[in-house]
Short mmCIF file of all heavy atoms in Angstrom, two decimals:
data_model
loop_
_atom_site.label_atom_id
_atom_site.label_comp_id
_atom_site.label_asym_id
_atom_site.label_seq_id
_atom_site.Cartn_x
_atom_site.Cartn_y
_atom_site.Cartn_z
N PRO A 1 3.76 45.09 95.53
CA PRO A 1 3.82 43.75 94.94
C PRO A 1 2.44 43.16 94.63
O PRO A 1 2.30 42.34 93.73
CB PRO A 1 4.56 42.92 95.99
CG PRO A 1 5.35 43.91 96.76
CD PRO A 1 4.53 45.17 96.76
N ALA A 2 1.40 43.62 95.32
CA ALA A 2 0.05 43.10 95.08
C ALA A 2 -0.41 43.40 93.66
O ALA A 2 -1.20 42.65 93.08
CB ALA A 2 -0.93 43.69 96.09
N ILE A 3 0.08 44.47 93.11
CA ILE A 3 -0.33 44.84 91.76
C ILE A 3 0.19 43.85 90.71
O ILE A 3 -0.31 43.79 89.60
CB ILE A 3 0.09 46.29 91.43
CG1 ILE A 3 -0.84 46.90 90.40
CG2 ILE A 3 1.51 46.37 90.95
CD1 ILE A 3 -0.75 48.38 90.32
N LEU A 4 1.18 43.05 91.11
CA LEU A 4 1.78 42.09 90.19
C LEU A 4 1.17 40.69 90.28
O LEU A 4 1.60 39.78 89.58
CB LEU A 4 3.30 42.01 90.43
CG LEU A 4 4.04 43.33 90.24
CD1 LEU A 4 5.48 43.19 90.65
CD2 LEU A 4 3.92 43.81 88.81
N ARG A 5 0.16 40.53 91.11
CA ARG A 5 -0.50 39.22 91.22
C ARG A 5 -1.21 38.90 89.91
O ARG A 5 -1.62 39.79 89.16
CB ARG A 5 -1.52 39.24 92.35
CG ARG A 5 -0.89 39.25 93.71
CD ARG A 5 -1.97 39.10 94.78
NE ARG A 5 -1.46 39.62 96.03
CZ ARG A 5 -2.15 40.39 96.86
NH1 ARG A 5 -3.40 40.72 96.60
NH2 ARG A 5 -1.60 40.82 97.97
N PRO A 6 -1.39 37.59 89.66
CA PRO A 6 -2.09 37.19 88.43
C PRO A 6 -3.46 37.88 88.30
O PRO A 6 -4.16 38.07 89.29
CB PRO A 6 -2.25 35.68 88.59
CG PRO A 6 -1.12 35.29 89.49
CD PRO A 6 -0.94 36.44 90.44
N GLY A 7 -3.78 38.25 87.07
CA GLY A 7 -5.06 38.90 86.80
C GLY A 7 -4.99 40.42 86.79
O GLY A 7 -5.92 41.08 86.37
N ARG A 8 -3.89 40.96 87.25
CA ARG A 8 -3.76 42.42 87.25
C ARG A 8 -2.92 42.85 86.04
O ARG A 8 -3.42 43.45 85.13
CB ARG A 8 -3.16 42.87 88.58
CG ARG A 8 -4.17 42.63 89.71
CD ARG A 8 -3.67 43.17 91.02
NE ARG A 8 -4.70 43.08 92.03
CZ ARG A 8 -4.89 42.02 92.81
NH1 ARG A 8 -4.12 40.97 92.68
NH2 ARG A 8 -5.85 42.02 93.71
N PHE A 9 -1.65 42.54 86.09
CA PHE A 9 -0.80 42.74 84.93
C PHE A 9 -0.43 41.34 84.44
O PHE A 9 0.35 40.64 85.08
CB PHE A 9 0.48 43.53 85.27
CG PHE A 9 0.25 44.99 85.45
CD1 PHE A 9 0.18 45.56 86.71
CD2 PHE A 9 0.10 45.81 84.35
CE1 PHE A 9 -0.02 46.92 86.87
CE2 PHE A 9 -0.11 47.17 84.49
CZ PHE A 9 -0.17 47.73 85.76
N ASP A 10 -1.01 40.94 83.34
CA ASP A 10 -0.80 39.58 82.86
C ASP A 10 0.59 39.37 82.29
O ASP A 10 1.11 38.26 82.31
CB ASP A 10 -1.85 39.21 81.81
CG ASP A 10 -3.23 39.08 82.41
OD1 ASP A 10 -3.31 38.81 83.63
OD2 ASP A 10 -4.22 39.25 81.69
N LYS A 11 1.19 40.40 81.76
CA LYS A 11 2.52 40.26 81.15
C LYS A 11 3.45 41.34 81.67
O LYS A 11 3.10 42.52 81.72
CB LYS A 11 2.45 40.39 79.62
CG LYS A 11 1.73 39.26 78.94
CD LYS A 11 2.58 38.03 78.95
CE LYS A 11 1.87 36.88 78.29
NZ LYS A 11 2.46 35.60 78.63
N LEU A 12 4.63 40.92 82.04
CA LEU A 12 5.72 41.83 82.36
C LEU A 12 6.83 41.51 81.38
O LEU A 12 7.35 40.40 81.36
CB LEU A 12 6.23 41.60 83.79
CG LEU A 12 5.28 41.91 84.93
CD1 LEU A 12 5.92 41.53 86.26
CD2 LEU A 12 4.91 43.37 84.93
N ILE A 13 7.18 42.48 80.57
CA ILE A 13 8.19 42.27 79.54
C ILE A 13 9.24 43.37 79.67
O ILE A 13 8.90 44.55 79.62
CB ILE A 13 7.58 42.28 78.12
CG1 ILE A 13 6.51 41.21 78.01
CG2 ILE A 13 8.65 42.09 77.07
CD1 ILE A 13 5.66 41.30 76.77
N PHE A 14 10.48 42.95 79.83
CA PHE A 14 11.58 43.91 79.90
C PHE A 14 12.20 44.05 78.52
O PHE A 14 12.62 43.06 77.91
CB PHE A 14 12.63 43.45 80.90
CG PHE A 14 13.85 44.33 80.92
CD1 PHE A 14 13.77 45.60 81.45
CD2 PHE A 14 15.05 43.90 80.40
CE1 PHE A 14 14.88 46.43 81.47
CE2 PHE A 14 16.16 44.71 80.41
CZ PHE A 14 16.08 45.98 80.95
N ILE A 15 12.23 45.25 78.02
CA ILE A 15 12.86 45.53 76.73
C ILE A 15 13.96 46.54 76.99
O ILE A 15 13.70 47.68 77.38
CB ILE A 15 11.85 46.09 75.71
CG1 ILE A 15 10.72 45.09 75.51
CG2 ILE A 15 12.55 46.43 74.40
CD1 ILE A 15 9.56 45.60 74.69
N LYS A 16 15.20 46.10 76.81
CA LYS A 16 16.31 46.99 77.09
C LYS A 16 16.46 48.01 75.96
O LYS A 16 16.00 47.79 74.83
CB LYS A 16 17.60 46.21 77.31
CG LYS A 16 18.04 45.38 76.16
CD LYS A 16 19.28 44.58 76.53
CE LYS A 16 19.62 43.67 75.37
NZ LYS A 16 20.84 42.94 75.57
N PRO A 17 17.11 49.13 76.24
CA PRO A 17 17.33 50.14 75.20
C PRO A 17 18.12 49.56 74.04
O PRO A 17 18.88 48.61 74.21
CB PRO A 17 18.13 51.22 75.92
CG PRO A 17 17.86 51.03 77.36
CD PRO A 17 17.64 49.54 77.53
N PRO A 18 17.97 50.14 72.86
CA PRO A 18 18.68 49.61 71.68
C PRO A 18 20.20 49.77 71.83
O PRO A 18 20.68 50.74 72.42
CB PRO A 18 18.15 50.47 70.53
CG PRO A 18 17.59 51.69 71.16
CD PRO A 18 17.16 51.31 72.54
N ASP A 19 20.92 48.81 71.25
CA ASP A 19 22.38 48.90 71.24
C ASP A 19 22.81 49.90 70.17
O ASP A 19 21.98 50.47 69.46
CB ASP A 19 23.03 47.53 71.05
CG ASP A 19 22.71 46.90 69.70
OD1 ASP A 19 22.23 47.58 68.78
OD2 ASP A 19 22.95 45.68 69.57
N GLU A 20 24.11 50.09 70.03
CA GLU A 20 24.63 51.11 69.11
C GLU A 20 24.18 50.88 67.66
O GLU A 20 23.76 51.81 66.98
CB GLU A 20 26.15 51.16 69.21
CG GLU A 20 26.75 52.37 68.54
CD GLU A 20 28.23 52.50 68.83
OE1 GLU A 20 28.59 52.64 70.01
OE2 GLU A 20 29.01 52.47 67.85
N ASP A 21 24.25 49.64 67.20
CA ASP A 21 23.83 49.35 65.82
C ASP A 21 22.35 49.65 65.63
O ASP A 21 21.95 50.22 64.61
CB ASP A 21 24.11 47.89 65.46
CG ASP A 21 25.59 47.60 65.27
OD1 ASP A 21 26.35 48.55 65.00
OD2 ASP A 21 25.97 46.42 65.40
N ALA A 22 21.55 49.27 66.59
CA ALA A 22 20.10 49.50 66.50
C ALA A 22 19.79 51.00 66.53
O ALA A 22 18.92 51.47 65.79
CB ALA A 22 19.37 48.78 67.63
N ARG A 23 20.52 51.75 67.35
CA ARG A 23 20.30 53.21 67.39
C ARG A 23 20.62 53.84 66.04
O ARG A 23 19.89 54.71 65.56
CB ARG A 23 21.13 53.85 68.51
CG ARG A 23 20.63 53.47 69.89
CD ARG A 23 21.25 54.32 71.00
NE ARG A 23 22.70 54.35 71.01
CZ ARG A 23 23.49 53.49 71.63
NH1 ARG A 23 22.97 52.47 72.28
NH2 ARG A 23 24.81 53.63 71.61
N ALA A 24 21.71 53.41 65.40
CA ALA A 24 22.06 53.94 64.08
C ALA A 24 20.95 53.63 63.08
O ALA A 24 20.56 54.50 62.28
CB ALA A 24 23.38 53.34 63.61
N LYS A 25 20.40 52.42 63.14
CA LYS A 25 19.31 52.05 62.23
C LYS A 25 18.05 52.86 62.50
O LYS A 25 17.33 53.23 61.57
CB LYS A 25 19.01 50.55 62.37
CG LYS A 25 20.08 49.67 61.78
CD LYS A 25 19.78 48.20 62.00
CE LYS A 25 20.93 47.34 61.52
NZ LYS A 25 20.73 45.92 61.85
N ILE A 26 17.78 53.15 63.77
CA ILE A 26 16.60 53.96 64.12
C ILE A 26 16.75 55.37 63.55
O ILE A 26 15.82 55.91 62.96
CB ILE A 26 16.37 53.97 65.64
CG1 ILE A 26 16.00 52.57 66.13
CG2 ILE A 26 15.27 54.97 66.01
CD1 ILE A 26 16.03 52.40 67.65
N PHE A 27 17.93 55.96 63.72
CA PHE A 27 18.16 57.30 63.14
C PHE A 27 17.96 57.25 61.63
O PHE A 27 17.29 58.11 61.05
CB PHE A 27 19.59 57.79 63.45
CG PHE A 27 19.71 58.52 64.75
CD1 PHE A 27 20.37 57.94 65.82
CD2 PHE A 27 19.17 59.80 64.90
CE1 PHE A 27 20.50 58.61 67.03
CE2 PHE A 27 19.29 60.48 66.10
CZ PHE A 27 19.96 59.88 67.17
N LYS A 28 18.53 56.24 61.00
CA LYS A 28 18.44 56.13 59.54
C LYS A 28 16.98 56.00 59.10
O LYS A 28 16.55 56.63 58.14
CB LYS A 28 19.25 54.92 59.07
CG LYS A 28 19.54 54.91 57.62
CD LYS A 28 20.56 53.83 57.27
CE LYS A 28 21.16 54.16 55.92
NZ LYS A 28 22.27 53.31 55.58
N GLU A 29 16.22 55.20 59.82
CA GLU A 29 14.80 54.99 59.49
C GLU A 29 14.00 56.28 59.62
O GLU A 29 13.22 56.64 58.75
CB GLU A 29 14.22 53.91 60.40
CG GLU A 29 12.75 53.64 60.18
CD GLU A 29 12.44 52.95 58.86
OE1 GLU A 29 13.31 52.25 58.33
OE2 GLU A 29 11.31 53.13 58.37
N TYR A 30 14.19 57.00 60.72
CA TYR A 30 13.41 58.21 60.96
C TYR A 30 13.82 59.38 60.08
O TYR A 30 13.06 60.33 59.92
CB TYR A 30 13.46 58.61 62.43
CG TYR A 30 12.43 57.87 63.25
CD1 TYR A 30 12.77 56.72 63.94
CD2 TYR A 30 11.12 58.31 63.31
CE1 TYR A 30 11.83 56.01 64.66
CE2 TYR A 30 10.17 57.61 64.04
CZ TYR A 30 10.53 56.47 64.71
OH TYR A 30 9.59 55.78 65.42
N LEU A 31 15.00 59.31 59.50
CA LEU A 31 15.46 60.40 58.62
C LEU A 31 15.46 60.00 57.15
O LEU A 31 15.88 60.76 56.30
CB LEU A 31 16.88 60.84 59.04
CG LEU A 31 16.99 61.43 60.44
CD1 LEU A 31 18.45 61.67 60.80
CD2 LEU A 31 16.18 62.71 60.56
N GLU A 32 14.94 58.81 56.87
CA GLU A 32 15.02 58.25 55.52
C GLU A 32 14.36 59.12 54.45
O GLU A 32 14.92 59.34 53.39
CB GLU A 32 14.39 56.85 55.51
CG GLU A 32 14.48 56.18 54.16
CD GLU A 32 13.87 54.79 54.19
OE1 GLU A 32 12.94 54.55 54.96
OE2 GLU A 32 14.36 53.95 53.43
N LYS A 33 13.18 59.62 54.71
CA LYS A 33 12.40 60.28 53.66
C LYS A 33 12.39 61.80 53.77
O LYS A 33 11.46 62.44 53.31
CB LYS A 33 10.98 59.74 53.66
CG LYS A 33 10.91 58.26 53.34
CD LYS A 33 9.52 57.74 53.33
CE LYS A 33 9.53 56.24 53.03
NZ LYS A 33 8.20 55.66 53.06
N VAL A 34 13.42 62.36 54.38
CA VAL A 34 13.49 63.82 54.50
C VAL A 34 14.77 64.33 53.87
O VAL A 34 15.77 63.61 53.82
CB VAL A 34 13.43 64.27 55.99
CG1 VAL A 34 12.11 63.88 56.63
CG2 VAL A 34 14.57 63.73 56.79
N PRO A 35 14.74 65.56 53.38
CA PRO A 35 15.98 66.14 52.85
C PRO A 35 16.98 66.28 54.00
O PRO A 35 16.65 66.78 55.07
CB PRO A 35 15.56 67.51 52.34
CG PRO A 35 14.07 67.47 52.23
CD PRO A 35 13.60 66.46 53.22
N LYS A 36 18.19 65.80 53.78
CA LYS A 36 19.21 65.87 54.83
C LYS A 36 20.57 66.16 54.21
O LYS A 36 20.83 65.85 53.06
CB LYS A 36 19.25 64.60 55.67
CG LYS A 36 19.45 63.33 54.90
CD LYS A 36 19.12 62.13 55.77
CE LYS A 36 18.86 60.91 54.95
NZ LYS A 36 17.71 60.93 54.10
N ALA A 37 21.41 66.75 55.02
CA ALA A 37 22.77 67.06 54.58
C ALA A 37 23.55 65.78 54.34
O ALA A 37 23.22 64.72 54.89
CB ALA A 37 23.47 67.92 55.64
N ASP A 38 24.57 65.88 53.51
CA ASP A 38 25.39 64.71 53.18
C ASP A 38 26.27 64.25 54.34
O ASP A 38 26.79 63.14 54.31
CB ASP A 38 26.28 65.02 51.97
CG ASP A 38 25.46 65.25 50.71
OD1 ASP A 38 24.36 64.69 50.61
OD2 ASP A 38 25.94 65.98 49.82
N ASN A 39 26.43 65.10 55.35
CA ASN A 39 27.36 64.77 56.43
C ASN A 39 26.70 64.05 57.62
O ASN A 39 27.31 63.96 58.68
CB ASN A 39 28.08 66.03 56.92
CG ASN A 39 27.16 66.97 57.67
OD1 ASN A 39 25.95 66.91 57.56
ND2 ASN A 39 27.76 67.87 58.43
N ILE A 40 25.51 63.53 57.46
CA ILE A 40 24.85 62.82 58.56
C ILE A 40 25.65 61.54 58.85
O ILE A 40 25.83 60.70 57.98
CB ILE A 40 23.38 62.47 58.24
CG1 ILE A 40 22.56 63.72 57.91
CG2 ILE A 40 22.75 61.69 59.39
CD1 ILE A 40 22.39 64.70 59.03
N ASP A 41 26.12 61.43 60.08
CA ASP A 41 26.95 60.30 60.51
C ASP A 41 26.13 59.45 61.48
O ASP A 41 26.08 59.72 62.68
CB ASP A 41 28.22 60.83 61.18
CG ASP A 41 29.09 59.74 61.77
OD1 ASP A 41 28.86 58.54 61.50
OD2 ASP A 41 30.03 60.09 62.51
N TYR A 42 25.47 58.43 60.95
CA TYR A 42 24.58 57.60 61.77
C TYR A 42 25.35 56.88 62.88
O TYR A 42 24.85 56.77 64.00
CB TYR A 42 23.82 56.60 60.89
CG TYR A 42 22.92 57.28 59.90
CD1 TYR A 42 23.23 57.31 58.55
CD2 TYR A 42 21.76 57.91 60.32
CE1 TYR A 42 22.41 57.95 57.64
CE2 TYR A 42 20.92 58.56 59.41
CZ TYR A 42 21.26 58.57 58.07
OH TYR A 42 20.44 59.21 57.18
N LYS A 43 26.54 56.41 62.58
CA LYS A 43 27.35 55.73 63.60
C LYS A 43 27.72 56.73 64.71
O LYS A 43 27.64 56.41 65.90
CB LYS A 43 28.61 55.13 62.97
CG LYS A 43 29.47 54.35 63.95
CD LYS A 43 30.61 53.65 63.24
CE LYS A 43 31.60 52.95 64.11
NZ LYS A 43 31.25 52.57 65.42
#
């Protein structure tokens, strides 16, 4: 707990994993500019 005192780590931010819609968008974004088969099912 001492490591969490002021001046050590100034910000603690919790970012939860992406939900289903966000995961589909991430796949779409990372595969956007590459040749891909027509059967890619992002959902």
Side-chain angles (χ1 to χ4, degrees):
I3 207 164
L4 300 173
R5 288 187 202 136
R8 292 185 173 88
F9 284 102
D10 291 335
K11 293 286 179 198
L12 295 176
I13 302 169
F14 174 71
I15 301 171
K16 60 184 176 175
D19 64 15
E20 193 171 299
D21 288 338
R23 291 192 307 272
K25 289 177 186 174
I26 294 168
F27 273 109
K28 196 169 199 172
E29 178 70 26
Y30 276 96
L31 297 173
E32 182 179 30
K33 297 180 181 178
V34 297
K36 56 194 161 295
D38 294 333
N39 70 340
I40 302 295
D41 175 11
Y42 297 107
K43 183 173 175 22

